[in-house]
Amino acid sequence: QVQLVESGGGLVQPGGSLRLSCAASVSITIFSAMGWHRQAPGKQRELVAVIRGGSTTYAESVKGRFTISRDNAKATVDLEMNSLKPEDTAVYYCYADRPFDVRLWGQGTQVTVSS
């Protein structure tokens, strides 16, 4: 069974940085797209960033601060988060899309931005 496992979450002060990593149990070249969503308490899950082929897309709220990247050799997709704000506090979920199949989700990792 294909699995996605996130890591790298934690507590960070405003203005700080964190790097999230999503490791797949299979080669990520089978996925048409991979990305990150987040869900804050009391809010709907929202797209943060997606990488599809050689293209990347970001939510307006994170543009210029977050960078998504993939490493096919390591089967990982990372999210580098800089200049973090309290409003970035959420559970971050990795996902992967396969052609003609359901979306895969990781279990989530908590990111808390607080002084």
Side-chain angles (χ1 to χ4, degrees), residues 24-42:
S25 58
V26 297
S27 170
I28 62 173
T29 58
I30 68 172
F31 301 126
S32 55
M34 296 186 73
W36 293 85
H37 277 68
R38 67 185 180 187
Q39 187 166 20

Side-chain angles (χ1 to χ4, degrees), residues 10 16 25 30-31 33 36 38-39 46 52 58 61 63 65 74 94:
S25 58
I30 68 172
F31 301 126
W36 293 85
R38 67 185 180 187
Q39 187 166 20
E46 64 173 352
R52 184 177 289 108
Y58 298 92
S61 59
K63 277 183 180 178
R65 301 188 297 123
K74 295 181 180 179
C94 173

Side-chain angles (χ1 to χ4, degrees), residues 1-4 26 30-31 94-98 101-106:
Q1 185 165 345
V2 180
Q3 290 185 319
L4 302 174
V26 297
I30 68 172
F31 301 126
C94 173
Y95 77 90
D97 289 334
R98 296 171 292 184
D101 208 335
V102 297
R103 173 169 287 182
L104 294 172
W105 290 96

Side-chain angles (χ1 to χ4, degrees), residues 12-82:
V12 64
Q13 292 187 341
S17 299
L18 280 176
R19 187 177 184 92
L20 305 183
S21 186
C22 173
S25 58
V26 297
S27 170
I28 62 173
T29 58
I30 68 172
F31 301 126
S32 55
M34 296 186 73
W36 293 85
H37 277 68
R38 67 185 180 187
Q39 187 166 20
K43 295 187 177 181
Q44 289 189 331
R45 190 174 293 193
E46 64 173 352
L47 175 68
V48 176
V50 58
I51 186 164
R52 184 177 289 108
S55 299
T56 57
T57 302
Y58 298 92
E60 284 295 327
S61 59
V62 306
K63 277 183 180 178
R65 301 188 297 123
F66 290 12
T67 303
I68 188 171
S69 61
R70 63 189 290 167
D71 188 326
N72 290 343
K74 295 181 180 179
T76 57
V77 171
D78 290 355
L79 186 68
E80 180 73 29
M81 305 186 295
N82 299 313

